[in-house]
């Protein structure tokens, strides 16, 4: 049943798709779709407004309108599923934190709770928590309840892998666009192609991207953490069904949240009803191959 309540409004004209609001929304109510921030579901938005201060373009504001009630349980389940996280044994609150460990649980729980309250007050929304606000700072240390993909890590240069490239000259992809959602299934460069569906991070993480992972392949890129993987699955299904490609390979990062790319491809083949060969390659955060079969 709809009620009139506080809820986020996004000015798409101002939004530049930077994704800062996605990271700052503990409930997973926002995703980047076609280059713009979108509300995934009204039921995931608590109307507190903690994301507002993260937008450099001033594209976010809290308004009052009719919407379904905030469903915290559904929102947290959505975050857990999106990030590929599993609840820790004996800790049923683990999914409530932000995936980078700065959520309301974990090492910075109380500080983050205070920050969110201050932001809400600045936005004129203080006191609208109605008991579901982010008072879940139970001090479960470490911030490991979410996705390790957002955990800050530094690799010593001396320990970084050094790669030799002996296969000869390499070039860029030779086609455009590259984003999964922007590539039409009828694009001529897809016909008879071996397609690589790569995580956005892969090209920056490894000097081997073009010489090893993408060599001889048509490259499509996406991020399952920020984007709608159901939309990915549908677009990839359309490509599988109509483009005449030879094979499709996923290149994902080793972090759990990147498994969504593999899941989207598996769902795409099911939707398409085709038997196009599917493969999976995994890249470590230091850019090295970590062979893993497609499950």
């Amino acid at each position: 049943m709809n009620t009139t309540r506080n809820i986020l409004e996004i000015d798409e004209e101002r939004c530049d798709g930077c994704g800062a609001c996605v990271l700052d929304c503990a409930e997973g109510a926002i995703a980047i779709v076609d280059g713009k921030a979108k509300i995934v579901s009204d039921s995931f938005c608590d109307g507190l407004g903690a994301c507002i201060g993260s937008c450099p373009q001033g594209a976010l504001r809290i308004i009052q309108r009719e919407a379904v009630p905030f469903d915290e349980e559904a929102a947290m389940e959505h975050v857990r599923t999106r990030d590929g996280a599993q609840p820790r044994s004996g800790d049923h609150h683990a999914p409530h934190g932000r995936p980078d460990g700065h959520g309301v649980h974990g090492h910075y729980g109380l500080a983050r709770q205070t920050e969110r309250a201050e932001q809400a007050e600045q936005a004129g929304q203080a006191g609208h928590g109605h008991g579901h606000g982010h008072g879940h700072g139970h001090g479960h240390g470490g911030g490991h309840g979410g996705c390790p993909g957002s955990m800050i890590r530094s690799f010593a240069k001396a320990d970084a892998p050094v790669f030799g490239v002996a296969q000869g000259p390499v070039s860029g992809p030779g086609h455009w666009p590259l984003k999964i959602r922007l590539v039409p299934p009828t694009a001529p460069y897809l016909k008879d192609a071996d397609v690589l569906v790569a995580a956005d991070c892969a090209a920056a993480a490894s000097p081997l991207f073009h010489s090893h992972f993408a060599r001889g392949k048509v490259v499509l890129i996406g991020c399952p953490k920020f984007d709608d993987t159901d939309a990915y699955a549908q677009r990839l299904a359309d490509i599988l069904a109509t483009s005449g490609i030879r094979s499709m390979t996923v290149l994902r990062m080793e972090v759990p949240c990147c498994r969504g790319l593999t899941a989207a491809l598996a769902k795409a083949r099911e939707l398409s009803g085709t038997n196009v060969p599917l493969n999976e390659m995994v890249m470590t955060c230091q850019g090295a191959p970590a062979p893993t079969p497609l499950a």
Side-chain angles (χ1 to χ4, degrees):
M1 179 179 177
N2 287 4
T3 60
T4 299
R5 68 180 184 90
N6 285 10
I7 197 163
L8 181 68
E9 181 180 74
I10 302 170
D11 185 339
E12 291 191 16
E13 292 296 319
R14 292 188 176 187
C15 175
D16 63 3
C18 72
C21 56
V22 176
L23 294 176
D24 215 36
C25 179
E27 295 79 19
I30 310 172
I32 303 300
V33 179
D34 293 337
K36 298 288 185 179
K38 309 274 189 182
I39 296 178
V40 176
S41 170
D42 286 353
S43 65
F44 297 163
C45 178
D46 63 1
L48 184 63
C51 57
I52 290 176
S54 67
C55 181
Q57 303 300 325
L60 309 179
R61 66 172 182 157
I62 296 296
I63 63 168
Q64 283 209 339
R65 66 169 171 84
E66 280 199 356
V68 295
F70 171 61
D71 187 339
E72 183 175 22
E73 183 176 351
M76 293 305 104
E77 176 62 17
H78 162 68
V79 171
R80 187 191 69 78
T81 302
R82 181 197 66 184
D83 293 345
Q86 296 296 326
R88 293 172 293 170
S89 177
D91 181 5
H92 301 294
H93 296 289
H96 291 241
R98 270 179 54 184
D100 58 1
H102 291 71
V104 292
H105 294 284
H107 213 54
Y108 299 94
L110 294 178
R112 182 70 185 128
Q113 181 182 348
T114 302
E115 177 189 342
R116 288 172 68 88
E118 290 174 349
Q119 288 177 342
E121 184 175 2
Q122 291 170 3
Q125 308 303 325
H128 186 66
H130 296 303
H132 67 247
H134 302 275
H136 302 285
H138 297 290
H140 306 303
H144 299 299
C147 176
S150 299
M151 183 174 63
I152 296 173
R153 285 178 274 181
S154 295
F155 304 116
K157 292 291 185 182
D159 298 330
V162 176
F163 306 108
V165 179
Q167 296 95 334
V170 295
S171 63
H175 62 274
W176 190 267
L178 301 175
K179 286 284 191 179
I180 296 170
R181 296 284 301 278
L182 299 180
V183 175
T186 55
Y189 52 76
L190 292 173
K191 186 171 178 57
D192 296 322
D194 295 306
V195 175
L196 180 70
V197 180
D200 282 354
C201 299
S206 178
L208 291 178
F209 181 79
H210 289 294
S211 64
H212 174 76
F213 295 104
R215 180 180 284 272
K217 295 181 174 65
V218 167
V219 177
L220 311 182
I221 61 173
C223 178
K225 190 175 184 70
F226 287 159
D227 289 347
D228 182 353
T229 53
D230 286 340
Y232 278 1
Q234 187 58 62
R235 177 52 57 91
L236 293 172
D238 293 341
I239 289 173
L240 287 168
T242 64
S243 66
I245 66 172
R246 286 197 301 254
S247 69
M248 189 172 281
T249 300
V250 169
L251 172 59
R252 68 170 178 86
M253 304 303 294
E254 63 180 338
V255 294
C257 57
C258 210
R259 292 174 186 156
L261 213 51
T262 301
L265 181 52
K267 183 177 180 180
R269 185 164 68 172
E270 180 182 350
L271 291 172
S272 70
T274 64
N275 291 312
V276 174
L278 303 184
N279 304 288
E280 181 184 57
M281 295 190 289
V282 180
M283 182 188 291
T284 71
C285 291
Q286 290 183 279
T292 298
L294 184 65

